[in-house]
Amino acid sequence: MNKLTVFEKPPKARAGAAAPHQYRLLGRRVLITDELGRWALLTRPEYDRLLAGLEPSDPLWPKLQPLGFLAEAFDFDAAARRRFERSLLSWKGPASHVLLLDDARGAMDLDAARRIVEFVFTCPGPQLTLELVFSDADKCWPVLWFIVQYARRKGEWSRRPVFLIARGKALAPDQADFLRSHGVTRAADLELDGVPDMKKAPPFRAQRARARLGPDAADPRAWARWFEKWGFESVRLLPSSLDDDGVAAFAAFYGEFLGELVEHGEESNLRDEWALSFLAGRPWSLPGTDVLEQLAYDGTGRVFTSEEAAAGAGELGLGAVGTLRYSDLPASGAAGAVIASSHPDNQPLCSQCAYRPYCALPPALNLKLQGSLWGQTPASPACTVQMGILDHIFGRLDDEKWLLLLDKWNVDMT
Ligand code: SF4
């Protein structure tokens, strides 16, 4: 199955005119991107002129030359700097640490929690995010309380910014007050069914939502207004299922949802987490990318390459806190395999995809969906989901309102 777009009548190209790039047809526009994540959205006649060779007098020349799309005026120094910033040479370690506070065996014990927090603080990087995931709030409260206190102290002692996120069920008012007073962000897992009842509040106040579409989720614009009304600051939409119908319905829903955010961007504070992640253009910005972005820890202190890996059959275990050192990771077969396989260069279809500089499929997800860490992007429903999202994000990049909103969200589009 080929998801790439092709011209019915290929444009005529002059050798050596355009610098290497990939293209994707988005409606009547042509999106071009290069290896370094630079992009331009052109009309078809503009693209034809680029391939035929632009004269410096052409109005497109000053737009495309600084972006590196003109072979004859390519800035190699700028390209080298950008390559360095976006390659693994600039990776500073996993920024996100997911602590799974309970499972069928019960809640994490305090000693395991202490050792996990200590391991997390041995990881390099300018800042750390600890995401505390729980399903039974009462059973997990002692360990949740301890981790919040201990991580805050460790952050003060080490002078490192620490972001704490609590993702789970509703808490008692005094527990919620405690988290608020310690600067803990609340994240809610929601399922969107039908159309929203604007008067119906979410189960608890949260700043972030992971919102899975139910099979009959409808009226995405109204759902966007519902999230705004109840004070959410960001949302990550997820498909109801990864079958063909679920993926197609998700792409349509996401496009409308994003349209509503763009339409009301001036007055709304709601942000789309997909756009924020993809437009950062680095594999370690994509949530759930094994090791590069995330490590996960279960209740006994076992370390996994990601939350998805922790839910799997255990192949992607890295060891246990207490004996595992961060410096052991480069020698770990599992860590090496997920880092190698998350690189889009290793995917046959990705090599021709315009979204390759922004996109990667988490290897643990490939393992679950297709039985291998590399997976096979042409047939992966996760690729279809990401391509659908990226089409909506990039297809709007000639909309002034969208660019203003991205600026408001502090997305660097250069
Ligand atoms: S996984 Fe991402 S980069 Fe690869 S083909 Fe799919 S959308 Fe393109």
Coordinates of all heavy atoms in Angstrom, one line a residue, residues 197-232:
D197 N -22.0 17.4 26.1 CA -23.0 18.2 26.8 C -22.2 19.3 27.5 O -21.4 19.1 28.4 CB -23.6 17.3 27.9 CG -24.6 18.0 28.8 OD1 -24.6 19.3 28.7 OD2 -25.3 17.3 29.6
M198 N -22.4 20.5 27.0 CA -21.6 21.6 27.5 C -21.7 21.9 29.0 O -20.8 22.4 29.6 CB -21.9 22.9 26.7 CG -21.7 22.8 25.2 SD -20.0 22.4 24.7 CE -19.1 23.9 24.9
K199 N -22.8 21.5 29.5 CA -23.0 21.7 30.9 C -22.4 20.6 31.8 O -22.3 20.8 33.0 CB -24.5 21.7 31.3 CG -25.2 22.9 30.6 CD -26.6 23.1 31.2 CE -27.3 24.2 30.5 NZ -28.6 23.7 29.9
K200 N -22.0 19.5 31.2 CA -21.4 18.4 31.9 C -19.9 18.6 32.1 O -19.2 18.5 31.1 CB -21.8 17.1 31.3 CG -21.5 15.9 32.1 CD -22.0 14.6 31.5 CE -21.4 13.4 32.2 NZ -21.5 12.2 31.5
A201 N -19.5 18.7 33.3 CA -18.0 18.9 33.6 C -17.3 17.6 33.4 O -17.8 16.5 33.5 CB -17.9 19.4 35.0
P202 N -16.0 17.7 33.2 CA -15.1 16.4 33.2 C -15.1 15.9 34.6 O -15.5 16.5 35.5 CB -13.8 16.9 32.7 CG -13.8 18.4 33.0 CD -15.2 18.9 32.9
P203 N -14.6 14.6 34.7 CA -14.7 14.0 36.1 C -13.8 14.7 37.1 O -14.1 14.6 38.3 CB -14.0 12.6 35.8 CG -13.7 12.5 34.4 CD -14.1 13.7 33.7
F204 N -12.8 15.5 36.7 CA -12.1 16.3 37.6 C -11.4 17.4 36.8 O -11.2 17.3 35.6 CB -11.1 15.5 38.4 CG -10.1 14.7 37.6 CD1 -8.9 15.2 37.2 CD2 -10.4 13.4 37.2 CE1 -8.0 14.5 36.5 CE2 -9.5 12.7 36.4 CZ -8.3 13.2 36.1
R205 N -11.0 18.5 37.5 CA -10.3 19.6 36.8 C -8.9 19.1 36.4 O -8.1 18.5 37.2 CB -10.1 20.7 37.8 CG -11.3 21.5 38.0 CD -11.4 22.6 37.0 NE -12.7 23.4 37.2 CZ -13.1 24.2 36.3 NH1 -12.5 24.4 35.2 NH2 -14.2 24.9 36.6
A206 N -8.6 19.3 35.1 CA -7.2 18.9 34.7 C -6.8 19.9 33.6 O -7.6 20.5 33.0 CB -7.3 17.5 34.0
Q207 N -5.5 20.0 33.5 CA -4.9 20.9 32.5 C -4.7 20.2 31.1 O -4.8 20.8 30.1 CB -3.6 21.5 32.9 CG -3.7 22.4 34.1 CD -3.7 21.7 35.4 OE1 -3.0 20.8 35.7 NE2 -4.6 22.1 36.3
R208 N -4.5 18.9 31.2 CA -4.2 18.2 29.9 C -5.1 17.0 29.8 O -5.6 16.5 30.8 CB -2.7 17.6 30.0 CG -1.7 18.7 30.1 CD -0.3 18.1 30.2 NE 0.1 17.4 29.0 CZ 1.3 16.9 28.8 NH1 2.2 17.0 29.7 NH2 1.5 16.2 27.8
A209 N -5.4 16.7 28.5 CA -6.3 15.5 28.3 C -5.7 14.6 27.2 O -5.2 15.2 26.2 CB -7.7 16.0 27.9
R210 N -5.8 13.3 27.4 CA -5.6 12.4 26.3 C -7.0 11.9 26.0 O -7.6 11.2 26.8 CB -4.7 11.2 26.8 CG -3.3 11.7 27.1 CD -2.3 10.5 27.0 NE -2.9 9.3 27.6 CZ -2.2 8.1 27.6 NH1 -1.0 8.1 27.1 NH2 -2.8 7.1 28.2
A211 N -7.5 12.3 24.9 CA -9.0 12.1 24.6 C -9.1 11.1 23.5 O -8.8 11.4 22.3 CB -9.6 13.4 24.2
R212 N -9.6 9.9 23.8 CA -9.8 8.8 22.8 C -11.2 9.0 22.2 O -12.2 9.1 23.0 CB -9.6 7.5 23.4 CG -9.6 6.3 22.4 CD -9.1 5.0 23.0 NE -7.8 5.0 23.5 CZ -6.7 4.9 22.7 NH1 -6.9 4.8 21.4 NH2 -5.5 5.0 23.2
L213 N -11.3 9.0 20.9 CA -12.6 9.1 20.3 C -13.4 7.8 20.5 O -12.9 6.7 20.3 CB -12.5 9.3 18.8 CG -11.6 10.5 18.3 CD1 -11.9 10.8 16.9 CD2 -11.9 11.7 19.1
G214 N -14.6 7.9 21.0 CA -15.5 6.8 21.0 C -16.0 6.5 19.6 O -15.8 7.4 18.7
P215 N -16.6 5.3 19.3 CA -17.0 5.0 17.9 C -18.0 6.0 17.4 O -18.1 6.2 16.2 CB -17.6 3.6 18.1 CG -17.4 3.1 19.5 CD -16.8 4.3 20.3
D216 N -18.8 6.6 18.2 CA -19.8 7.6 17.7 C -19.5 9.0 18.0 O -20.3 9.9 18.0 CB -21.2 7.2 18.2 CG -21.3 7.2 19.7 OD1 -20.2 7.3 20.3 OD2 -22.4 7.0 20.2
A217 N -18.2 9.3 18.3 CA -17.8 10.7 18.6 C -18.1 11.6 17.4 O -17.8 11.3 16.3 CB -16.3 10.8 19.0
A218 N -18.8 12.7 17.7 CA -19.2 13.6 16.6 C -19.1 15.1 17.1 O -18.8 15.4 18.2 CB -20.7 13.4 16.3
D219 N -19.2 16.0 16.1 CA -19.1 17.4 16.3 C -17.7 17.8 17.0 O -17.7 18.3 18.1 CB -20.3 17.9 17.1 CG -20.5 19.4 16.9 OD1 -19.5 20.1 16.4 OD2 -21.5 19.9 17.2
P220 N -16.6 17.7 16.3 CA -15.3 18.0 16.8 C -15.2 19.4 17.3 O -14.5 19.8 18.2 CB -14.3 17.7 15.7 CG -15.1 17.2 14.5 CD -16.6 17.1 14.9
R221 N -15.9 20.4 16.5 CA -15.8 21.8 16.9 C -16.4 22.0 18.3 O -15.9 22.8 19.1 CB -16.4 22.7 15.8 CG -15.6 22.7 14.6 CD -16.2 23.5 13.5 NE -15.3 23.5 12.3 CZ -14.3 24.3 12.0 NH1 -14.1 25.3 12.9 NH2 -13.5 24.2 11.0
A222 N -17.5 21.3 18.5 CA -18.2 21.5 19.8 C -17.3 20.9 20.9 O -17.2 21.4 22.0 CB -19.6 20.8 19.8
W223 N -16.6 19.8 20.6 CA -15.7 19.2 21.6 C -14.6 20.2 21.9 O -14.2 20.3 23.1 CB -15.2 17.8 21.1 CG -16.1 16.7 21.4 CD1 -16.8 16.0 20.5 CD2 -16.5 16.2 22.7 NE1 -17.6 15.0 21.2 CE2 -17.4 15.1 22.5 CE3 -16.1 16.5 24.0 CZ2 -17.9 14.4 23.6 CZ3 -16.6 15.8 25.1 CH2 -17.5 14.7 24.8
A224 N -14.1 20.8 20.9 CA -13.0 21.8 21.2 C -13.5 22.9 22.1 O -12.8 23.3 23.1 CB -12.5 22.4 19.9
R225 N -14.7 23.4 21.9 CA -15.3 24.4 22.8 C -15.5 23.8 24.2 O -15.3 24.5 25.2 CB -16.6 24.9 22.2 CG -16.4 25.7 20.9 CD -17.6 26.5 20.5 NE -18.8 25.7 20.2 CZ -19.0 25.2 19.0 NH1 -18.1 25.4 18.0 NH2 -20.1 24.4 18.8
W226 N -15.9 22.5 24.3 CA -16.1 21.9 25.6 C -14.7 21.9 26.4 O -14.7 22.2 27.5 CB -16.6 20.5 25.4 CG -16.9 19.8 26.7 CD1 -18.1 19.8 27.4 CD2 -16.0 18.9 27.4 NE1 -18.0 19.0 28.5 CE2 -16.7 18.4 28.5 CE3 -14.7 18.4 27.2 CZ2 -16.2 17.5 29.5 CZ3 -14.2 17.5 28.1 CH2 -14.9 17.1 29.2
F227 N -13.7 21.5 25.7 CA -12.4 21.5 26.4 C -12.0 22.9 26.8 O -11.4 23.1 27.9 CB -11.3 20.9 25.4 CG -11.3 19.4 25.4 CD1 -11.7 18.8 24.2 CD2 -10.9 18.7 26.4 CE1 -11.7 17.4 24.1 CE2 -10.9 17.3 26.4 CZ -11.3 16.6 25.2
E228 N -12.2 23.9 26.0 CA -11.9 25.3 26.4 C -12.7 25.7 27.6 O -12.2 26.2 28.6 CB -12.2 26.2 25.2 CG -11.2 26.2 24.1 CD -11.7 26.8 22.9 OE1 -12.8 27.4 22.9 OE2 -11.1 26.6 21.8
K229 N -14.0 25.4 27.5 CA -14.9 25.8 28.6 C -14.5 25.3 30.0 O -14.6 26.0 31.0 CB -16.4 25.4 28.3 CG -17.3 25.6 29.5 CD -18.7 25.3 29.2 CE -19.5 25.5 30.5 NZ -20.9 25.3 30.4
W230 N -14.0 24.0 30.0 CA -13.7 23.4 31.2 C -12.2 23.6 31.6 O -11.7 22.9 32.5 CB -14.1 21.9 31.3 CG -15.6 21.9 31.2 CD1 -16.4 21.5 30.2 CD2 -16.5 22.2 32.3 NE1 -17.7 21.7 30.5 CE2 -17.8 22.1 31.8 CE3 -16.3 22.6 33.6 CZ2 -18.9 22.3 32.6 CZ3 -17.4 22.9 34.4 CH2 -18.7 22.7 33.9
G231 N -11.5 24.5 31.0 CA -10.2 24.9 31.4 C -9.0 24.0 31.0 O -7.9 24.2 31.6
F232 N -9.2 23.1 30.1 CA -8.1 22.3 29.6 C -7.1 23.3 28.9 O -7.5 24.2 28.2 CB -8.5 21.2 28.7 CG -9.2 20.1 29.4 CD1 -10.5 20.1 29.6 CD2 -8.4 19.0 30.0 CE1 -11.2 19.0 30.3 CE2 -9.0 18.0 30.7 CZ -10.4 18.0 30.8

